[in-house]
Amino acid sequence: MLRKSFVLTSLAALALTGCTREGDIDSSGGIAITRSACPGIAIPVYTGDVTLFSPAEARTADAIDVVATLTNLRSSCVEQGEDIVASASFDVVATRTNTSGARQLVLPYFATVVQGGRVVVSKRISTIVLNFADGARRAEAKGSATGYVNHAAAKLPPQVQERLTRKRKAGDADAALDPLADPDIRAAVQKASFELLVGFQLTDEQLKYNATR
């Protein structure tokens, strides 16, 4: 239950990352609002790093064996048939305490597509390999992840799209009203918003350590 509550908290904060509003005035005097169908991308809270201990059951600072961090998360998005394909790339940087001897470390990570901030559409577990040279304290590796979103599911209903893109000029009755303040509009945008979330696949104990350290 601990793992689920942490992840859902992070997703709720990302519910509208696929919708970007630009408060620019266009040439006709209206307010321009744009939205991308590409999934937002993020590292859920508490899943961006992992700490290994020696012995494994220890949790004190002097027992830390390896600390790895997932960083430099980047994304791209293309249409492929009926799908929107979101690709992510990232770096993993790890440091170890004992630098004696060469060592290979394999860490699992996940790539999850989430709809509306709470519905898991897909989840894939992969691994990344880090190789420490003899005497080296630090190792780096590059990883990647891919998520698929149905294009139709990411498309807003015409009436909602019209509300979001309709030009509003000074003097109009709704000129100062944010269309996303309407619960129905907000719900429709949230339903059509997707995220690609990438992070380390942690055990319950590892997640608890990240959340309470």
Side-chain angles (χ1 to χ4, degrees):
M1 292 303 294
L2 182 65
R3 177 183 303 178
K4 183 177 180 181
S5 64
F6 288 149
V7 173
L8 290 184
T9 298
S10 70
L11 301 189
L14 294 168
L16 297 178
T17 54
C19 183
T20 302
R21 287 177 291 154
E22 300 174 357
D24 298 334
I25 306 298
D26 69 12
S27 59
S28 67
I31 303 297
I33 297 179
T34 61
R35 177 184 182 275
S36 171
C38 290
I41 185 168
I43 302 170
V45 65
Y46 305 128
T47 69
D49 57 86
V50 58
T51 303
L52 306 181
F53 294 88
S54 181
E57 65 275 8
R59 289 297 179 270
T60 56
D62 60 351
I64 291 177
D65 179 26
V66 177
V67 176
T69 302
L70 196 155
T71 186
N72 296 331
L73 185 62
R74 304 167 296 275
S75 67
S76 61
C77 178
V78 297
E79 292 190 13
Q80 188 177 92
E82 296 181 351
D83 292 326
I84 299 170
V85 183
S87 299
S89 61
F90 57 88
D91 299 327
V92 172
V93 179
T95 57
R96 62 174 177 168
T97 302
N98 184 355
T99 61
S100 177
R103 179 180 178 185
Q104 185 175 88
L105 182 65
V106 180
L107 297 175
Y109 68 92
F110 66 85
T112 301
V113 174
V114 177
Q115 179 181 16
R118 58 175 58 90
V119 179
V120 176
V121 176
S122 64
K123 181 177 181 180
R124 177 176 296 179
I125 306 295
S126 304
T127 57
I128 191 163
V129 179
L130 295 144
N131 290 296
F132 292 93
D134 184 17
R137 182 173 180 271
R138 178 185 172 102
E140 297 184 25
K142 295 186 178 297
S144 62
T146 303
Y148 296 85
V149 173
N150 182 269
H151 193 280
K155 187 176 181 180
L156 290 172
Q159 65 273 22
V160 174
Q161 184 70 25
E162 191 277 333
R163 282 283 303 277
L164 290 172
T165 59
R166 179 166 54 84
K167 296 180 177 64
R168 290 176 291 280
K169 300 181 181 180
D172 289 349
D174 62 350
L177 297 179
D178 181 353
L180 288 175
D182 183 325
D184 292 336
I185 299 297
R186 184 177 177 86
V189 171
Q190 186 171 5
K191 183 179 179 181
S193 297
F194 292 80
E195 297 82 45
L196 174 60
L197 306 178
V198 181
F200 286 115
Q201 181 67 23
L202 304 175
T203 65
D204 289 337
E205 282 298 313
Q206 289 169 336
L207 189 58
K208 182 178 180 180
Y209 174 80
N210 284 356
T212 59
R213 61 185 172 183

